[in-house]
Amino acid sequence: MTDTATRDADAAAPPPRRSYAKMAADESREDYSLRYAPHSFRRWSPTMVASTALGGIAYLADFAIGASIVFTYGFTSGLASILCAATIIFVTGIPIARACAKYGLDMDLVTRGAGFGYFGSTLTSLIYASFTFIFFALEGSIMAQAMHQAVGLPVEIGYLVTTLIVIPIVFRGMGALAKVQAWTQPIWLVGMVLPFVVLAFEAPDTWGAFGSFGGTEGAGGGFSWVAFGLGTGVALSLIAQIGEQADYLRFMPAKTEENKRRWNLAVLAAGPGWVVIGAAKQLGGALLAFAALEAVGETHALEPIAPQIEALEPWLGSFALPAAALFVIVSQVKINVTNAYSGSLSWSNFFSRITHRHPGRVWYIFLNLAIALTLMEMNMFAALNKLLGFYSNVGIAWIVAVAADLVINKRMGWSPPYIEFKRAYLYAVNPAGFGSMVIASVVSILAFFGLFGRYAEAFSTFIAAGLAVVLCPLIAWATKGTYYLARPNPVNGPHVHVPDVTATHACGVCETAYELPDIADCPVQAGPICSLCCSLDAECGDVCRTSPSSAPVLMPMPTVRAAD
């Protein structure tokens, strides 16, 4: 055969079919880590999804964060900081939670279509991944402290144990996580409430004394604007927690007339509602630390295990130590399986776009845990306030930009009324969300390091939030929403009605059937392609964005406002 004939035969040959590695091909283990969560997989009730999501906020970092804020800035400024941060987190979390639950998408996929673009959201995947391993390290440190207190295990070895213990659970995905959260909930509830009951009976004067506490660093009992700003910045480091809630909320079943009330309550409780419990835990942790301060000293009072023991001793005596250790270990397992799970999703999203490879979510568990273990061994617990205060500048710029797009841009018509997450229809970078996040982060970080004076340093997170909420709509308006869609999606439109959104189409590459929202028209394949195969294609040259699709028109998808 001549060279010309060979080239002609190659050109006429159908595109090669993709077969995923065994781990990546098992969607029951993968939990649709890089995909839209199909209705066929969302088999849990709204109550079950909400219960599982809320089980993941059992962590005791709230105790340490609250105690650190109050010890540093005093009760009055600390209380104001915690309540202000909780309000901001709650308000920004509402539209994000509803969008993730309604569309079956995780935080990364929502970010793509909410003003960041296909590659623009890659940076936010790193921000989110850093949130999961920073807080895994923080929670793991608390668990290692408990093991050291209980059995004398050196904390360095405890760090390793706390890392390894979560792997078998996270490896199995959402099903295993749901069981762990359900089985451990009774123990956690008793352990959470009992110390405060004991304190109320045995030392009732503690509550009044706590209200006039001026901190351990000379902040005083009065209100200080600088202390308020700095404390709020530390508490706002938890704003990215909505991403972990979204990793559960995407499995919420479809909203119907029959389950509408339960669905709305479940999404509100498991989405932004986590921060109500979180703020209460921060204040409760500060109270327990204050009560134990004289007995154990400041350093140990900031470690949740010591105040737990001190609070339980009047009733449990020698059993206070094992009881407190059990509570701490259960609490930390509950949150760190979520941190490890969400981290694996985030790293999967990041590397799939950078490398065009997807070996499977489970392999990224080990990457996330290795980074977390390194942070623990470096004793990040000692630099808690500074680390979290810095991180919150970037985290809040991201979350507020996404919320601004969902609430403002979509309602004003500057952003598509649905969330488009597929590479085939997105620009690489959308300046509305990505640009506003970068500008807000850079300015607020410069303020955080004191470039603009003491007050700007204290209120750097407010600067980040303010710039993001103003710039995202402003850029979307100025660009007339041009950078949201690289080409029209033929199956989305303002007047389209869908008879059955669960209808499936076979991907032309992997030949697996996926529900319609996970499918795009591909001119290279001359037919449908699933979102993951589209993401992993390194040779198509994104021709779909520059030439009309030659694929047949697929069944329409629903058009629903994300912020409804």
Side-chain angles (χ1 to χ4, degrees):
M1 184 180 291
T2 65
D3 290 343
T4 301
T6 301
R7 285 195 299 271
D8 290 344
D10 289 343
R17 301 306 184 206
R18 176 178 285 113
S19 59
Y20 291 102
K22 183 177 180 181
M23 291 295 184
D26 184 359
E27 291 290 4
S28 66
R29 191 185 300 268
E30 278 294 286
D31 285 341
Y32 297 88
S33 58
L34 302 183
R35 300 182 182 275
Y36 152 87
H39 289 277
S40 60
F41 192 72
R42 300 185 221 172
R43 58 183 181 270
W44 295 277
S45 68
T47 303
M48 182 62 178
V49 174
S51 176
T52 303
L54 288 174
I57 66 162
Y59 54 87
L60 297 183
D62 272 336
F63 278 40
I65 291 171
S68 180
I69 291 173
V70 173
F71 276 28
T72 304
Y73 306 115
F75 173 81
T76 303
S77 298
L79 173 64
S81 298
I82 291 169
L83 295 180
C84 179
T87 301
I88 295 172
I89 292 171
F90 187 88
V91 171
T92 56
I94 293 173
I96 294 173
R98 292 182 66 83
C100 293
K102 181 174 291 184
Y103 287 97
L105 305 176
D106 65 13
M107 193 65 203
D108 177 79
L109 300 186
V110 167
T111 299
R112 291 184 195 178
F116 281 72
Y118 181 71
F119 274 108
S121 66
T122 303
L123 177 60
T124 66
S125 291
L126 279 180
I127 295 171
Y128 184 31
S130 66
F131 173 85
T132 64
F133 62 65
I134 286 173
F135 278 89
F136 187 102
L138 177 56
E139 308 294 353
S141 297
I142 292 171
M143 193 194 302
Q145 293 161 4
M147 292 178 174
H148 177 69
Q149 285 273 80
V151 297
L153 185 71
V155 289
E156 293 78 11
I157 298 176
Y159 296 151
L160 180 61
V161 173
T162 63
T163 302
L164 296 177
I165 199 172
V166 303
I167 293 177
I169 303 168
V170 182
F171 202 83
R172 299 188 63 82
M174 175 65 175
L177 266 65
K179 292 177 182 176
V180 167
Q181 301 296 5
W183 293 344
T184 55
Q185 202 73 341
I187 297 175
W188 180 78
L189 286 172
V190 172
M192 177 61 66
V193 174
L194 187 58
F196 299 100
V197 174
V198 176
L199 201 63
F201 279 95
E202 299 296 329
D205 293 342
T206 302
W207 301 76
F210 181 54
S212 58
F213 181 50
T216 58
E217 299 182 20
F223 179 80
S224 162
W225 282 107
V226 171
F228 166 71
L230 291 170
T232 304
V234 175
L236 278 173
S237 63
L238 291 163
I239 196 167
Q241 176 66 32
I242 190 62
E244 295 197 343
Q245 304 307 112
D247 287 336
Y248 293 110
L249 287 172
R250 66 197 177 106
F251 297 120
M252 192 69 69
K255 184 179 178 181
T256 64
E257 283 301 318
E258 291 75 21
N259 73 359
K260 181 169 63 175
R261 185 171 177 274
R262 286 183 292 115
W263 193 95
N264 286 330
L265 287 173
V267 171
L268 187 67
W274 77 265
V275 78
V276 176
I277 302 173
K281 286 163 57 189
Q282 288 176 37
L283 293 171
L287 172 65
L288 292 180
F290 168 74
L293 180 60
E294 186 175 342
V296 303
E298 182 179 352
T299 300
H300 290 300
L302 293 173
E303 301 172 355
I305 179 66
Q308 288 280 326
I309 296 171
E310 286 298 313
L312 294 175
E313 269 188 344
W315 283 14
L316 300 185
S318 60
F319 290 102
L321 173 58
L326 176 63
F327 167 68
V328 172
I329 291 171
V330 167
S331 297
Q332 302 316 89
V333 168
K334 284 169 74 66
I335 180 55
N336 266 355
V337 294
T338 299
N339 282 327
Y341 176 72
S342 294
S344 71
L345 297 180
S346 189
W347 284 118
S348 294
N349 276 299
F350 175 77
F351 281 109
S352 69
R353 275 167 286 173
I354 298 299
T355 67
H356 295 285
R357 295 217 181 349
H358 179 49
R361 171 189 67 82
V362 296
W363 297 111
Y364 293 113
I365 297 171
F366 301 103
L367 171 63
N368 210 51
L369 297 187
I371 298 173
L373 179 59
T374 302
L375 288 177
M376 283 189 275
E377 297 292 354
M378 292 170 61
N379 192 25
M380 64 152 284
F381 195 85
L384 182 63
N385 272 8
K386 202 68 176 175
L387 177 64
L388 297 184
F390 171 79
Y391 176 83
S392 63
N393 288 281
V394 182
I396 195 170
W398 163 39
I399 296 298
V400 171
V402 172
D405 182 88
L406 295 173
V407 174
I408 301 173
N409 296 0
K410 291 194 181 300
R411 293 189 184 278
M412 296 300 295
W414 303 327
S415 173
Y418 68 100
I419 297 177
E420 182 57 76
F421 65 93
K422 296 180 286 295
R423 172 191 180 188
Y425 304 110
L426 294 172
Y427 280 98
V429 175
N430 185 342
F434 183 79
S436 61
M437 183 197 73
V438 171
I439 294 171
S441 296
V442 170
V443 174
S444 65
I445 287 172
L446 292 176
F448 176 78
F449 284 109
L451 190 65
F452 307 128
R454 179 60 171 162
Y455 277 92
E457 177 185 350
F459 286 87
S460 63
T461 49
F462 289 86
I463 294 173
L467 286 174
V469 78
V470 170
L471 289 177
C472 184
L474 184 62
I475 296 173
W477 169 79
T479 58
K480 297 179 172 60
T482 301
Y483 296 97
Y484 280 90
L485 293 178
R487 63 167 176 142
N489 187 333
V491 294
N492 278 96
H495 307 296
V496 169
H497 298 281
V498 180
D500 183 12
V501 74
T502 63
T504 61
H505 289 264
C507 172
V509 178
C510 65
E511 299 182 328
T512 303
Y514 292 100
E515 289 181 9
L516 192 58
D518 206 26
I519 292 290
D521 284 317
C522 179
V524 175
Q525 295 296 327
I529 186 172
C530 72
S531 62
L532 182 53
C533 286
C534 180
S535 292
L536 299 180
D537 195 325
E539 300 176 357
C540 69
D542 292 320
V543 67
C544 61
R545 299 176 187 170
T546 57
S547 64
S549 173
S550 59
V553 176
L554 304 175
M555 184 186 299
M557 284 184 282
T559 299
V560 185
R561 287 188 179 275
D564 283 350

